Amino acid sequence: MRRTPMLFQSKGPRLPIHSLLPRLQTCLAQHSRALLSAPTGSGKTTLVPLALLDQPWLAGRTILMLEPRRLAARLAARRMADLLGEPLGETVGYRIRHDSQVSPRTRIEVLTEGILTRRLQQDPELRGVGLLIFDEFHERNLQGDLALALALDAASALREDLRLLIMSATLETERLAAFLDNAPVLLGEGRSYPVQIQYQPRDSQLPPQGQALNGVLKALAEQSGDILVFLPGTGEIRRLAESLRERLDQTGQAEIKIWPLYADLSREQQDQALNPDPQGRRRIVLATSVAETSLTIEGISCVVDLGLSRLPRFDANSGLSRLVTLPCSQASADQRAGRAGRLGPGFCYRLWTEASQRQRPPSTPAEIGQADLAPLLLEVARWGLSAMKELRWLDPPPAGALAQARCLLQRLGLLNEAGRITPKGERVSGLGLHPRLGCLLLSGEEQGAPDLAADLAALLSERDILRSASSPGGRPADLRQRLRLLQDWRSGRAADGLDRAACQQVERLARQLRSRLHGKAAASEVDTAALLLAAYPDRLAQRTGELGGAGRYRLAFAGAARLPEGDGLWGSPYLIITELDAGQGHSQSDGRIFTAMALDLPLIEQVLADRLSWREQVSWAQNRVQAQRQLCYANLVLAQRPLTKPDPETLRQALLQAIRDRGLTLLPWSEAALQLRARLEFLRHWQPQAGWPDCSDSGLLAGLESWLGPWLDGLHRLDQLQKLDLCAILLARLDWSRQQQLEQLAPSHLSLPSGSRKRLAYQPGTAPVLAVRLQELFGLLQTPRLCNGQVAVTLHLLSPAQRPIQVTQDLAGFWRNTYPEVKKELKGRYPKHYWPDDPFNATATARVRPK
């Protein structure tokens, strides 16, 4: 008979959560939603589900608890089963990726890795389930946010009796309570011992690996007991383990055990790190952030924290994710330090300064704001919704990342144009993989290569089967090599540098994936790259032709990426890239290629036949047109042929583009054409509402196609532009009436009293200028005015030698006030010229004297 909650409460030490359990039971009897915030070590993860198991409102139904981390899920289920004195799979069980222990008698299931989401998709009513618990919700896992959104939707539409409990050590209680319609909040006390924290006195100049090594050696010398070390990733764990073993061997401390701890290790390896050494030897546990919460590692009394976290960040501009190593948040640092105080007083070495601690973010941002949203969007579409906003989100998904996700899913054929899921999308969503890998599996099924597709999907899902290489470029990028090595491992011919544990994980997943496929192996061989193209159509990449660019590739839709120099794929004309970091390339715009496969043009033409297109491309080289017919896929030009008779419109557009690129100086601007532009700009300035055409540089470039395009027929060399009559072309923008207004309002010449016609000089932003000998204006009483009298002409009055005498817009004032002095000065210098005493009534002349 299963033990009752009363019996299990008496087993083991009394924990702080015990005092809160009666209030929690009452709260959930009265409310369908509740929040529980209790510190790490209070016992909430293992005791709360057991305490609620026999509540009347549960009525014998099941409790599902979502745990963000697989390791924590398995350990929580095991601890609850131990408290009940039962084996796993009886009252308490778990379902995690690649592993489950449940039975028809199981009433508490600990779930993770999107399993709750898949269960909701298959059974939105969650028949037989009475309570959903979201544990460690402060981690704001993407799957946790999605599961909560779906659960809220299901509860409001189908299951008003379904209860939701959100638990964490550090909850934003006010915000969450408001989000959950003012749900009640219960605050619990923790049971932790004091932890003394020591910071670095100053910023270290050592690389992170050196800082970690020194920190561990210091802890070994100054503290007793087992040590837990926090590092950002598995690579750092392996390198530090090698350095520590070498140093401990040198100092005669080889008996100290070093155990790694991260999610991809086997269950046996994880148990070795979690439990004290059977022979009582001292341990150093090297862990990722998986050890921050929900785990009690027996014997740990000292923590060494490098203070770094490695997190995925999605770049909506490139549509790619990148792994970034960042300082962990203050809350995360506190959780890590608390590991040393679970079982007694502890010590924490923080390998950064106290000042930098204050500059760290208070908490880790929600994953939904930083992640690839393609899997999330496909799940929402499978739920029956075409827009994210139809669900309730604690933090709405970013619009840019959503647009990228929608584009990818439509490109893969999983969503239609309206955003609704397609039959292919339904099938892919049910496979429980990233949409890309689901498409890869279906392609393998359709092409008669299910085993090959399963191997590929498993290789791309799991940890790399190749260990880190010692060469500067790191691991080779070639996926075909990994497939061959996997086959060799299956045949018992494991090569050096192969990670056998990773091979086992790949093999386990490949078997699971093969069981989900229906196709049989075809008689003919299927090219591996053809399957990858079905999953990564946007990751087809072409080697650039630039000097020294053998390792640089242009992606089909956006961006560029590089192979490490010396990689085996270096120089391949085409790659299909499966793993790409958008932020660690040769330059700001280049990514770093981690895994890829070479392929040739015939295969691309075969697989992507319905997506390729021929287009005519005209460019300019040595001032002549170069016309080609190009076979294109998105932004890539796969092949090209000379085009002897290019389409006239394509040719015209190329010529217009050349003018845009090189500027209006390519055109033959005569003085008359320049003055015509200036006259039109003069009228546009003084009559802004009259609709005169914009003849500024920017205006002409913006409207280039309309005013110049019709005049380019038959031109195929840039030097032929010199034949254009730009005056006629600009005047063609005006009808006959407007041309008459132009001559009236802004004439090119003025008729003078002397009988001459002189050209006006128009300049932007100033009045037109008339440069004229003074004698030609005798008898003219007022300054000429243009534009219906709005603007007075600026007169440059010249001497008989064409030198400026006066600049004025007041001719009458000049005659009255200045002319007498000018006459005295110039009459002696030019005695033969005409210098009347009365300029108002004198006869104007263009000669030395009037006839």
Side-chain angles (χ1 to χ4, degrees):
M1 180 181 296
R2 181 180 55 79
R3 296 176 183 266
T4 66
M6 186 62 69
L7 289 175
F8 85 75
Q9 286 186 39
S10 64
K11 185 177 181 180
R14 185 172 180 83
L15 296 172
I17 199 67
H18 278 110
S19 62
L20 197 64
L21 293 179
R23 289 170 52 201
L24 178 61
Q25 293 166 339
T26 302
C27 179
L28 285 174
Q30 300 171 352
H31 303 276
S32 61
R33 297 166 190 173
L35 305 177
L36 172 58
S37 179
T40 300
S42 61
K44 60 185 179 301
T45 297
T46 52
L47 297 185
V48 164
L50 295 173
L52 300 175
L53 195 57
D54 291 333
Q55 291 298 294
W57 51 263
L58 195 60
R61 291 174 296 184
T62 302
I63 296 174
L64 301 182
M65 183 164 73
L66 181 67
E67 198 68 45
R69 301 177 187 271
R70 286 176 284 168
L71 178 57
R74 184 170 62 84
L75 293 176
R78 179 193 293 177
R79 177 60 178 159
M80 284 188 276
D82 288 345
L83 288 172
L84 293 175
E86 297 178 351
L88 272 170
E90 288 296 315
T91 303
V92 182
Y94 66 87
R95 296 180 193 268
I96 62 176
R97 190 181 184 190
H98 306 325
D99 191 14
S100 66
Q101 288 198 27
V102 294
S103 70
R105 299 173 297 281
T106 301
R107 291 193 55 212
I108 299 176
E109 289 187 27
V110 188
L111 313 175
T112 189
E113 296 280 337
I115 293 175
L116 176 57
T117 300
R118 292 199 289 277
R119 184 155 176 176
L120 278 162
Q121 293 280 21
Q122 295 163 1
D123 179 18
E125 293 184 44
L126 288 180
R127 284 166 290 193
V129 176
L131 171 65
L132 288 181
I133 300 176
F134 294 81
D135 193 26
E136 303 296 351
F137 191 74
H138 70 275
E139 295 196 17
R140 298 301 309 282
N141 180 280
L142 184 65
Q143 286 292 339
D145 276 17
L146 173 61
L148 179 59
L150 297 183
L152 289 172
D153 196 51
S156 63
L158 304 170
R159 286 286 311 277
E160 292 184 357
D161 64 322
L162 181 65
R163 283 167 167 76
L164 305 179
L165 174 61
I166 296 181
M167 304 195 307
S168 177
T170 54
L171 278 178
E172 298 176 276
T173 51
E174 292 185 7
R175 181 171 175 236
L176 264 172
F179 176 72
L180 296 176
D181 305 319
N182 297 316
V185 178
L186 288 84
L187 301 177
E189 297 179 354
R191 188 196 68 178
S192 60
Y193 294 91
V195 175
Q196 184 179 347
I197 295 176
Q198 182 181 105
Y199 290 94
Q200 295 290 93
R202 64 186 65 86
D203 292 328
S204 175
Q205 301 303 311
L206 291 174
Q209 195 75 15
Q211 295 178 49
L213 177 61
N214 287 347
V216 174
L217 294 176
K218 184 177 182 181
L220 281 171
E222 297 178 353
Q223 307 298 324
S224 60
D226 295 343
I227 300 171
L228 173 61
V229 186
F230 282 99
L231 298 161
T234 57
E236 289 82 358
I237 287 176
R238 285 193 289 268
R239 288 190 291 272
L240 182 58
E242 292 173 2
S243 300
L244 278 173
R245 287 192 185 98
E246 181 180 350
R247 186 65 65 90
L248 294 176
D249 287 343
Q250 293 172 353
T251 58
Q253 297 175 290
E255 74 283 355
I256 297 176
K257 304 301 293 182
I258 301 172
W259 297 114
L261 179 61
Y262 49 88
D264 288 334
L265 292 173
S266 68
R267 182 189 305 178
E268 293 74 17
Q269 291 172 310
Q270 290 173 350
D271 288 345
Q272 285 176 326
L274 292 169
N275 299 316
D277 184 76
Q279 300 176 26
R281 293 170 294 187
R282 196 175 184 186
R283 294 181 305 150
I284 302 173
V285 179
L286 308 180
T288 62
S289 57
V290 70
E292 280 184 18
T293 57
S294 299
L295 300 178
T296 297
I297 305 176
E298 299 292 337
I300 296 297
S301 60
C302 178
V303 165
V304 177
D305 187 3
L306 189 56
L308 299 176
S309 296
R310 183 160 297 136
L311 303 170
R313 290 291 183 266
F314 183 73
D315 181 0
N317 293 322
S318 66
L320 302 172
S321 292
R322 57 191 178 98
L323 285 173
V324 295
T325 302
L326 300 170
C328 69
S329 67
Q330 295 180 23
S332 180
D334 290 342
Q335 292 276 5
R336 295 177 180 189
R339 302 291 94 189
R342 281 290 185 93
L343 305 174
F347 202 95
C348 175
Y349 293 89
R350 287 181 174 169
L351 305 183
W352 63 93
T353 65
E354 192 168 5
S356 68
Q357 168 71 4
R358 293 190 291 269
Q359 297 171 358
R360 293 176 177 234
S363 59
T364 305
E367 187 182 1
I368 198 169
Q370 314 288 338
D372 174 6
L373 297 184
L376 184 73
L377 184 58
L378 187 61
E379 292 288 356
V380 171
R382 187 183 178 196
W383 190 252
L385 307 176
S386 59
M388 284 281 189
K389 61 184 179 182
E390 296 181 65
L391 289 174
R392 293 181 61 194
W393 301 96
L394 184 57
D395 289 295
L402 267 183
Q404 288 284 349
R406 186 174 293 106
C407 181
L408 173 62
L409 295 178
Q410 289 174 343
R411 193 174 289 143
L412 294 173
L414 308 183
L415 295 184
N416 61 23
E417 290 300 319
R420 296 289 181 181
I421 195 167
T422 63
K424 181 181 178 181
E426 291 277 3
R427 178 82 193 281
V428 166
S429 178
L431 292 173
L433 296 169
H434 190 283
R436 290 187 187 274
L437 301 184
C439 288
L440 189 155
L441 287 180
L442 292 193
S443 179
E445 185 178 88
E446 293 166 1
Q447 298 185 48
D451 292 350
L452 175 59
D455 284 350
L456 266 177
L459 281 170
L460 294 170
S461 297
E462 295 296 334
R463 186 174 82 245
D464 198 342
I465 63 173
L466 291 179
R467 296 186 184 276
S468 296
S470 58
S471 61
R475 299 183 184 95
D478 194 358
L479 263 175
R480 291 186 195 274
Q481 179 182 353
R482 287 166 172 78
L483 280 170
R484 290 192 297 269
L485 290 171
L486 181 64
Q487 293 298 332
D488 290 345
W489 173 80
R490 286 171 175 159
S491 303
R493 304 189 306 273
D496 291 338
L498 201 64
D499 188 330
R500 291 168 174 77
C503 288
Q504 292 171 352
Q505 289 179 304
V506 168
E507 177 67 14
R508 182 166 59 247
L509 178 57
R511 283 198 302 267
Q512 293 178 4
L513 297 179
R514 282 194 290 271
S515 69
R516 303 177 194 177
L517 301 178
H518 310 307
K520 296 182 179 180
S524 58
E525 186 176 347
V526 176
D527 194 295
T528 309
L531 301 181
L532 290 179
L533 272 175
Y536 297 88
D538 54 328
R539 299 283 184 84
L540 179 63
Q542 183 182 40
R543 189 183 65 205
T544 62
E546 63 192 46
L547 185 64
R552 187 174 190 266
Y553 289 81
R554 179 179 299 108
L555 275 73
F557 288 90
R562 286 184 180 267
L563 279 169
E565 188 168 357
D567 188 271
L569 296 178
W570 182 272
S572 302
Y574 297 97
L575 296 179
I576 185 74
I577 301 171
T578 55
E579 186 179 359
L580 174 64
D581 190 330
Q584 296 181 359
H586 174 79
S587 68
Q588 187 175 4
S589 61
D590 288 355
R592 162 78 182 271
I593 299 171
F594 289 109
T595 54
M597 188 175 290
L599 67 167
D600 55 25
L601 182 57
L603 179 65
I604 297 171
E605 292 179 318
Q606 173 190 337
V607 176
L608 300 178
D610 60 337
R611 307 190 198 186
L612 304 182
S613 60
W614 286 96
R615 69 185 180 201
E616 293 184 4
Q617 178 67 30
V618 177
S619 58
W620 297 89
Q622 299 178 345
N623 293 331
R624 292 184 62 86
V625 65
Q626 301 290 325
Q628 296 172 327
R629 191 164 182 257
Q630 298 179 334
L631 179 63
C632 300
Y633 176 65
N635 296 327
L636 303 183
V637 177
L638 306 178
Q640 53 190 18
R641 302 169 185 169
L643 188 63
T644 55
K645 294 182 179 180
D647 174 59
E649 180 58 28
T650 303
L651 189 61
R652 178 176 20 254
Q653 292 301 324
L655 189 51
L656 289 170
Q657 190 58 47
I659 297 170
R660 292 188 190 99
D661 293 341
R662 304 189 193 185
L664 294 172
T665 55
L666 280 180
L667 301 176
W669 293 104
S670 64
E671 183 61 30
L674 290 173
Q675 282 300 302
L676 177 56
R677 284 181 62 186
R679 291 162 63 196
L680 290 168
E681 282 297 282
F682 167 77
L683 288 176
R684 198 167 70 92
H685 175 76
W686 289 101
Q687 293 186 341
Q689 306 302 321
W692 293 99
D694 184 354
C695 288
S696 65
D697 282 359
S698 60
L700 289 178
L701 285 171
L704 198 62
E705 187 163 355
S706 63
W707 69 269
L708 185 61
W711 302 83
L712 300 181
D713 287 345
L715 304 187
H716 58 274
R717 296 196 314 270
L718 291 181
D719 58 7
Q720 292 175 328
L721 293 174
Q722 300 306 310
K723 299 178 181 179
L724 297 174
D725 183 351
L726 291 179
C727 278
I729 293 172
L730 291 176
L731 283 173
R733 304 180 75 183
L734 308 176
D735 59 23
W736 183 86
S737 173
R738 270 297 170 98
Q739 291 184 29
Q740 297 306 305
Q741 290 181 43
L742 170 64
E743 291 302 323
Q744 176 188 356
L745 301 173
S748 61
H749 293 72
L750 279 183
S751 296
L752 304 180
S754 65
S756 301
R757 292 187 76 248
K758 293 289 185 180
R759 181 183 297 277
L760 284 163
Y762 290 83
Q763 295 293 334
T766 63
V769 172
L770 177 66
V772 58
R773 281 177 55 224
L774 182 150
Q775 283 87 351
E776 295 201 54
L777 298 182
F778 288 148
L780 184 62
L781 305 183
Q782 298 294 333
T783 306
R785 303 185 73 85
L786 306 180
C787 199
N788 291 329
Q790 286 182 270
V791 184
V793 173
T794 299
L795 297 172
H796 286 209
L797 302 178
L798 309 178
S799 71
Q802 302 294 319
R803 293 189 179 93
I805 301 169
Q806 184 78 15
V807 174
T808 183
Q809 287 183 308
D810 181 9
L811 184 60
F814 171 79
W815 291 139
R816 285 192 301 268
N817 303 318
T818 308
Y819 174 72
E821 295 298 324
V822 169
K823 183 185 74 167
K824 287 179 185 179
E825 179 183 346
L826 296 182
K827 187 173 182 180
R829 191 180 303 173
Y830 304 101
K832 294 182 180 181
H833 286 262
Y834 182 50
W835 300 105
D837 292 333
D838 182 6
F840 291 100
N841 296 303
T843 301
T845 179
R847 303 166 61 85
V848 175
R849 287 182 174 274
K851 290 183 180 180

